[in-house]
Amino acid sequence: MAAALVCALGAPAAPGTAYAAPGEPEPKADGSGGTASGAGRLEKVRSDVDRLYRQAESATDAYNLAREKQTRQEKSIVRIARAVVKAQEEMTGLRERAGALARAQYRRGGMPPEARLLLGDNPSGFLDGFTLARKGEKAARGLMNRLERTQTALDRYADSASQEWERLDRSRARKAAARAEITEKLARARRLESRLEGKERDRLRRLQEERDRASQNKWLKTGILRDVGGRSSSVGRRAIDFATAQIGKAYVWGAVGPDGYDCSGLTQRAWASAGRSIPRTSQEQWRLLPKVDTARMRPGDLVIYFKDASHVGMYVGDGAIVHAPRPGRQITLAGAGSMPILGVVRPDGS
């Protein structure tokens, strides 16, 4: 981890080592000079591969969000179904009582209780009978009102269930579309990489590392670390401990552990291990969590990258993050400034 941190912070190259600037000819593996067209081709591949992986990561966010919504909607439908069963059972009981009331009234000739009392041959019991009749009438009205309310509730449940099913269908469609896009982007990126010879793939990886290191050094030269300070909160420290313990595990799109993670799956699980529930996707983490100025970030904060908030890493201090980079890579430490920073959020909000 210490060696990885040194690399992540953009340590200067050893004396005598020179890195080719982007677009300049790179030496061939056999020591002979490369051509500008060869270096340009490799840079084009690097750019295309990076773009495809970023698009796949953005689609992964859409997939994760749709899957999360689908889970909530399925639970909502189950709750509605249970409420319907309960309401139907109540409706059955109410109808049985209403039927008994109607049968009793039929047996008495359908005459209203007040009329039977007035025509009765026992005027002395009129007041007692009248009170009982009023109670019976009130009970009957109450029964009818409950029947009406229960039927209204059933109708409402039916509408809610219909709406939830429509939302569920849309979530499933979005998830399927996102999955198809992810699969297509990853396949294209792998095809591009597979066309390179082994030595070219090594050069491609070095080229990306040099780009990341250059971006990190540029970020550090702004003097950002002179302003960035502060210590992590106790829950933030627990989140960091969890995230760094995952170093070396594979990036797996859509995964939240324990064997692999995507970028936001790692940050969500890390903060969950510290007792804080945060949104599933990097875009939702950016949208919903409290934002802090980059100059005020502290270990445990989440650094959100790119204009579409499609990537996230956890700041661990000294200008470094721990993150799940992309498919084919492992969870690692990297420079916090090695990618374009959109902003910083603080899950514990303190």
Side-chain angles (χ1 to χ4, degrees):
M1 283 178 60
L5 182 57
V6 170
C7 294
L9 298 182
T17 302
Y19 291 100
E24 291 183 1
E26 292 184 349
K28 289 184 178 179
D30 61 5
S32 61
T35 65
S37 60
R41 170 179 168 272
L42 200 58
E43 169 60 21
K44 177 69 164 56
V45 172
R46 185 208 66 78
S47 176
D48 288 346
V49 167
D50 184 60
R51 173 177 51 80
L52 288 167
Y53 276 126
R54 282 221 311 110
Q55 288 173 347
E57 191 165 42
S58 183
T60 297
D61 249 19
Y63 173 88
N64 289 334
L65 185 59
R67 184 172 64 176
E68 192 174 50
K69 285 184 177 179
Q70 177 182 329
T71 300
R72 288 199 303 267
Q73 287 152 2
E74 287 171 346
K75 290 179 179 177
S76 178
I77 288 170
V78 170
R79 286 195 299 270
I80 291 171
R82 288 174 178 164
V84 167
V85 169
K86 184 177 179 181
Q88 285 176 335
E89 290 174 348
E90 182 179 6
M91 179 67 81
T92 299
L94 290 172
R95 283 174 175 164
E96 289 176 354
R97 289 173 57 188
L101 185 64
R103 288 191 297 273
Q105 187 175 4
Y106 175 77
R107 285 194 298 269
R108 291 193 295 266
M111 185 180 293
E114 295 89 339
R116 288 198 306 273
L117 286 169
L118 289 170
L119 298 174
D121 56 3
N122 186 14
S124 61
F126 175 81
L127 290 178
D128 291 339
F130 185 78
T131 302
L132 290 173
R134 282 298 183 191
K135 287 182 178 179
E137 182 183 353
K138 184 178 180 180
R141 280 202 304 269
L143 178 61
M144 294 302 105
N145 288 338
R146 285 184 61 187
L147 272 167
E148 184 178 352
R149 287 197 302 270
T150 305
Q151 185 61 57
T152 300
L154 281 169
D155 293 340
R156 185 174 65 250
Y157 291 143
D159 290 341
S160 298
S162 177
Q163 292 171 11
E164 287 299 329
W165 275 113
E166 290 174 2
R167 293 189 189 104
L168 182 59
D169 285 341
R170 289 196 295 270
S171 294
R172 284 172 172 163
R174 282 193 292 266
K175 190 175 78 168
R179 186 185 186 100
E181 182 178 358
I182 293 163
T183 302
E184 188 263 338
K185 300 297 183 187
L186 293 182
R188 285 178 60 188
R190 287 165 183 157
R191 281 197 302 271
L192 281 173
E193 291 177 313
S194 69
R195 292 171 188 164
L196 300 174
E197 296 179 358
K199 292 177 182 179
E200 287 182 310
R201 284 197 290 270
D202 290 341
R203 287 165 58 199
L204 181 66
R205 187 169 187 129
R206 288 199 305 272
L207 181 61
Q208 184 61 58
E209 290 170 352
E210 289 166 16
R211 281 298 184 98
D212 293 346
R213 185 159 53 245
S215 296
Q216 173 73 355
N217 284 333
K218 182 179 180 181
W219 184 68
L220 292 175
K221 285 178 182 178
T222 64
I224 186 71
L225 292 189
R226 288 196 302 268
D227 300 320
V228 171
R231 301 174 61 182
S232 62
S233 62
S234 58
V235 290
R237 173 47 55 187
R238 292 200 296 274
I240 292 170
D241 290 344
F242 179 93
T244 53
Q246 312 312 307
I247 289 175
K249 292 185 178 180
Y251 177 104
V252 179
W253 70 266
V256 291
D259 300 323
Y261 300 84
D262 61 20
C263 67
S264 57
L266 175 64
T267 53
Q268 184 196 41
R269 292 299 299 161
W271 273 97
S273 74
R276 287 295 172 95
S277 175
I278 67 172
R280 171 65 181 90
T281 70
S282 58
Q283 292 170 346
E284 291 294 280
Q285 289 170 7
W286 171 244
R287 188 172 72 87
L288 298 174
L289 295 177
K291 296 176 177 61
V292 296
D293 189 81
T294 305
R296 292 182 52 245
M297 69 179 176
R298 69 186 186 195
D301 289 347
L302 304 183
V303 186
I304 310 296
Y305 294 97
F306 305 109
K307 291 180 179 179
D308 60 356
S310 58
H311 191 71
V312 60
M314 179 180 291
Y315 187 64
V316 296
D318 295 326
I321 60 166
V322 59
H323 73 143
R326 64 169 176 80
R329 301 285 176 85
Q330 289 75 44
I331 294 169
T332 187
L333 291 167
S338 59
M339 296 168 284
I341 295 175
L342 176 63
V344 178
V345 294
R346 181 164 293 166
D348 58 359
S350 59

